[in-house]
Amino acid sequence: MRSTPRMDVLGAHAARLVDRRIPELVAEDPVRAAGRALRVGPLYANFARHRLDADAWQALFGLAGDAGVPAAIRALFDGAEVNASERRPALHTALRSRLGAGAVARDAHRLAGEVRARMGGLVAALAASDVTDIVNVGIGGSDLGPRLAVDALRDLHSGRFRVHFLANVDGSAAQHLLRGLDPARTAAILVSKSFGTQETLLNGAILRDWLGGGERLYAVSANVPGAEAFGVDAGRILPMWDWVGGRFSLWSAVGFAIALAVGMARFDELLAGAAEMDAHVLGAPVECNLAVWHALVAVWNRNGLGLDSHAILPYDERLALLPAYLQQLVMESLGKSVTPRGEPVDCATAPVLWGGVGTSSQHSFFQALHQGSDTVPADLIGVVRPAHGYTDNHHALLANLLAQAEALANGHAAADPQRRYPGNRPSTFLLLDALTPQALGALLALYEHSVYVQSVLWDINAFDQWGVELGKKIAGDLLPAVRDGSDAGVTDPVTRTLLAEIRARG
């Protein structure tokens, strides 16, 4: 694939560094280990184990300057139409911080505060009721963010509610969930921006019938009339807006389930942690901006080194859902091949992002990370202070975290090729002081801002997702054929054959 002149600069540096190894780069620079690290509040990040020297870092900073990254960040906060294909701003930062200077951003922050106050009232009312279980019904950004936060902050749950999630249209998920709940003591939150999402409406109908009506149905949607028509009382509907994409929305009323799990005070702490990262990203120059560093390293690995995969490796069981959350954030935002002007992108964009929680993953796919033919950059994420008293376990966990980062970078020589570790596998090392709402908010906001900066560097729109629409449309067209047994309108010969097989076995 042809690349831009800016990306050609990275290629030149990569060619210069092709024979350099990470341990050598570390050894020749006595301040590298500390000098390639940044801290923002409760979050520390170390980039020393990337295949970069000082000249390559300067080239990356020049790339950010040439692409206008500082101005693009300012435009995001101020409410410019950064989502060009839908003619919208992307104001997720306004949900948690008042840093935007534009009137649109200020108005968005005001609206977000008003809805958050309403959400607090609904949390209090539910706490005073006899409801014990909450089912969050949503998919994609209406599920992954709240589900991650509820799971990650499980040690801080108030204990008032058990919070469950229902996303998949597969009826097995609903059946398995509902068999363990009492409809008289359960409430459901239907989360859908359009209130037209097939999975959410089908599962919502199951919940509505199972609950015996809409009395304990709540909704979060930009389509308030649609939610009312479904049977949700207007007083139990919280709005969201078209200027917040689903994958950036957990800071809004989409986080209703989070607030029910941990309480409004801790939900506010989650937002405060994100706001602290917002302030840093907006105010820090590129040379010491954590989100910019994270984005530049991602672009270096993708375009300089040509690496097409990236692993997320949290060493904390409470962050087990982080890889799935980041798959949507990164791959839905950056999985683009045209510019906002409709021209082909002339460099590689989104890597395939995947991962799993350590130490469990060390006994599965880490074999390929260490000795496979492909180099996979990784983010290794640890937590310094645990929320349990099993000190020996936590020491072992941290030792494994440190060891894997070292082994990936340094490798191990051996006379037997089967036992040789090539090393030179780059990684970013992220540490949270503790897994608090504030720290989680800062971590997720870091990834949001990194994704946006990468989109600026690649000249793509991070905030639309037209690529998910075609499959939905075809599924809608095929539903009558699946439901009624008619091939009318089915034009694809392979699909006709597959439908025949389904009918024969149904």
Side-chain angles (χ1 to χ4, degrees):
M1 177 178 286
R2 186 174 61 86
S3 64
T4 65
R6 295 199 310 269
M7 296 303 175
D8 287 342
V9 170
L10 299 189
H13 282 281
R16 180 176 58 80
L17 293 167
V18 66
D19 294 324
R20 302 302 308 278
R21 295 182 56 80
I22 292 169
E24 297 168 358
L25 293 168
V26 172
E28 71 184 20
D29 182 358
V31 300
R32 179 184 177 106
R36 288 303 170 199
L38 292 170
R39 171 174 285 277
V40 177
L43 177 59
Y44 167 89
N46 193 299
F47 298 85
R49 286 181 171 137
H50 283 280
R51 286 154 59 178
L52 289 159
D53 63 5
D55 289 342
W57 270 106
Q58 288 305 312
L60 287 170
F61 293 145
L63 178 68
D66 291 345
V69 164
I73 292 172
R74 181 80 257 179
L76 174 77
F77 278 84
D78 288 350
E81 284 188 358
V82 293
N83 182 352
S85 73
E86 297 179 287
R87 305 287 302 274
R88 296 171 183 167
L91 282 168
H92 45 283
T93 56
L95 298 171
R96 65 220 185 191
S97 54
R98 192 178 182 180
L99 296 170
V104 172
R106 289 195 298 268
D107 190 54
H109 182 74
R110 176 187 58 79
L111 288 172
E114 292 173 355
V115 172
R116 194 158 61 248
R118 279 191 58 204
M119 185 171 77
L122 293 178
V123 169
L126 275 164
S129 74
D130 59 358
V131 169
T132 58
D133 290 86
I134 305 294
V135 179
N136 187 94
V137 182
I139 197 164
S142 299
D143 169 77
L144 291 166
R147 189 191 291 256
L148 164 64
V150 168
D151 196 51
L153 301 176
R154 70 185 80 161
D155 293 305
L156 301 175
H157 286 195
S158 67
R160 176 61 186 83
F161 302 105
R162 295 188 303 170
V163 179
H164 316 271
F165 291 87
L166 183 58
N168 201 309
V169 74
D170 186 342
S172 296
Q175 178 174 284
H176 295 159
L177 173 63
L178 297 183
R179 68 170 48 147
L181 302 179
D182 179 357
R185 299 177 68 83
T186 301
I189 309 167
L190 312 183
V191 186
S192 171
K193 182 190 289 189
S194 66
F195 221 82
T197 306
Q198 182 188 55
E199 296 90 342
T200 302
L201 293 183
L202 286 168
N203 284 328
I206 291 173
L207 264 295
R208 182 185 57 198
D209 295 344
W210 180 79
L211 290 170
E215 183 180 350
R216 287 186 304 284
L217 281 183
Y218 295 75
V220 180
S221 181
N223 181 6
V224 173
E228 288 184 282
F230 193 83
V232 186
D233 183 86
R236 296 194 300 275
I237 301 172
L238 295 170
M240 55 191 301
W241 307 277
D242 63 8
W243 39 263
V244 176
R247 57 195 177 277
F248 299 92
S249 68
L250 68 90
W251 324 100
S252 71
V254 171
F256 190 10
I258 307 171
L260 287 164
V262 301
M264 282 300 298
R266 285 180 171 141
F267 182 75
D268 288 342
E269 291 171 13
L270 179 74
L271 271 60
E276 183 175 19
M277 184 60 68
D278 290 343
H280 164 78
V281 171
L282 184 61
V286 297
E287 292 80 7
C288 56
N289 189 309
L290 179 51
V292 175
W293 279 29
H294 192 273
L296 288 173
V297 163
V299 169
W300 167 258
N301 287 328
R302 189 72 179 101
N303 302 116
L305 302 182
L307 306 178
D308 57 9
S309 177
H310 188 95
I312 302 295
L313 308 172
Y315 273 70
D316 193 298
E317 191 70 27
R318 296 167 295 175
L319 292 174
L321 298 178
L322 183 64
Y325 168 80
L326 291 177
Q327 279 179 333
Q328 185 194 24
L329 178 64
V330 173
M331 296 175 72
E332 192 167 86
S333 298
L334 300 178
K336 313 292 169 59
S337 57
V338 297
T339 72
R341 297 165 301 285
E343 302 160 349
V345 172
D346 52 10
C347 62
T349 59
V352 174
L353 188 140
W354 58 288
V357 67
T359 59
S360 304
S361 299
Q362 292 174 198
H363 296 266
S364 59
F365 59 74
F366 269 56
Q367 168 64 39
L369 293 183
H370 285 292
Q371 291 188 314
S373 58
D374 291 331
T375 295
V376 180
D379 286 7
L380 293 107
I381 305 164
V383 178
V384 177
R385 299 191 300 273
H388 58 76
Y390 303 112
T391 304
D392 289 346
N393 289 60
H394 193 62
H395 288 167
L397 182 69
L398 290 177
N400 275 275
L401 168 64
L402 292 164
Q404 292 297 326
E406 182 176 319
L408 286 166
N410 298 350
H412 177 71
D416 181 356
Q418 306 295 328
R419 299 174 184 271
R420 187 177 303 146
Y421 289 71
N424 216 28
R425 313 280 167 120
S427 65
T428 298
F429 199 94
L430 298 168
L431 276 177
L432 306 179
D433 294 342
L435 189 44
T436 62
Q438 179 194 10
L440 181 64
L443 178 68
L444 300 186
L446 165 64
Y447 278 103
E448 287 182 346
H449 287 300
S450 174
V451 161
Y452 175 59
V453 173
Q454 289 173 65
S455 77
V456 174
L457 295 169
W458 284 327
D459 190 20
I460 57 177
N461 182 356
F463 302 110
D464 61 12
Q465 57 277 332
W466 298 110
V468 305
E469 298 301 323
L470 178 59
K472 293 180 181 179
K473 179 185 183 302
I474 295 174
D477 294 342
L478 290 176
L479 183 57
V482 176
R483 183 181 57 214
D484 304 330
S486 169
D487 281 348
V490 180
T491 59
D492 186 277
V494 178
T495 300
R496 283 199 301 271
T497 299
L498 297 174
L499 278 168
E501 184 67 18
I502 290 170
R503 291 170 190 147
R505 304 294 177 180

